[in-house]
Amino acid sequence: AIGSDLALQGMLVKYATTDGDARSAEGIKDAQKMLNPMWEVERLADPTHLGQSQFKKCINAKFSSDMFSGATREKKREGQKVLSQDVKARCGLIMKKLMTEHAGDTSIIKNHLPKVLEATILCYSGDCSKCSRNSVVCAGGLTNSWWQTSMFLGSHK
């Protein structure tokens, strides 16, 4: 509806920043096509919602029974919640640092993300060998690793 209102006023939208639901951006795009059939609307994801999506995926993931320490199911669930909070915080920090480092150039950031993701997964498994080159939040080593700087992981070992 917003896209239709803007199109009726003769306004073209170049970028639409939305939450994880791409339907709203598609609605704006369709409405803008009425005004100018060749016009393209680019959808930008809101980093806040990106972190929240990561939290939800992690908190709802099915991990093996020995993934988290704890004698009870509740203690193990608490460990999963801590990891979920950490993934969300790390995701937000990664995006913030990449945006700063690359002056908001999303094409450079997009090309860099696969290496960051690989380093992040290895880091969470305890292997920081790629962190110094590819992680923007973990330098590896014993003193500058994410494991020491994270406000979530350190307190829950």
Side-chain angles (χ1 to χ4, degrees):
I2 292 170
S4 296
D5 289 345
L6 293 171
L8 288 173
Q9 295 176 31
M11 293 181 122
L12 292 172
V13 175
K14 180 69 180 156
Y15 301 102
T17 302
T18 65
D19 59 10
D21 182 8
R23 290 179 297 168
S24 56
E26 284 301 314
I28 292 171
K29 187 177 183 177
D30 291 344
Q32 296 287 290
K33 293 279 185 193
M34 291 186 310
L35 183 62
N36 182 339
M38 300 304 291
W39 190 256
E40 288 296 323
V41 177
E42 184 177 339
R43 178 184 171 267
L44 304 175
D46 179 1
T48 302
H49 290 91
L50 178 63
Q52 191 60 30
S53 296
Q54 296 301 317
F55 176 83
K56 286 179 184 176
K57 289 284 186 184
C58 192
I59 197 76
N60 293 322
K62 302 289 184 221
F63 290 100
S64 63
S65 60
D66 60 343
M67 172 72 179
F68 301 102
S69 61
T72 65
R73 187 180 312 156
E74 188 57 38
K75 284 289 185 188
K76 290 180 184 220
R77 186 75 176 151
E78 184 180 318
Q80 186 169 355
K81 182 177 180 185
V82 167
L83 176 63
S84 300
Q85 290 169 320
D86 190 74
V87 167
K88 177 183 176 184
R90 188 172 185 161
C91 179
L93 186 58
I94 286 170
M95 291 307 295
K96 183 178 180 180
K97 286 194 172 203
L98 286 173
M99 291 296 276
T100 301
E101 186 178 316
H102 300 294
D105 188 332
T106 55
S107 61
I108 294 173
I109 294 169
K110 184 178 170 182
N111 289 334
H112 193 64
L113 280 175
K115 290 179 183 177
V116 174
L117 176 61
E118 179 186 17
T120 301
I121 291 169
L122 288 171
C123 181
Y124 274 121
S125 71
D127 177 0
C128 290
S129 62
K130 295 194 177 195
C131 288
S132 62
R133 263 188 335 274
N134 298 320
S135 175
V136 294
V137 297
C138 179
L142 297 174
T143 56
N144 283 337
S145 79
W146 180 255
W147 291 89
Q148 277 76 41
T149 58
S150 167
M151 67 179 164
F152 297 105
L153 297 181
S155 63
H156 285 78
K157 300 180 176 80

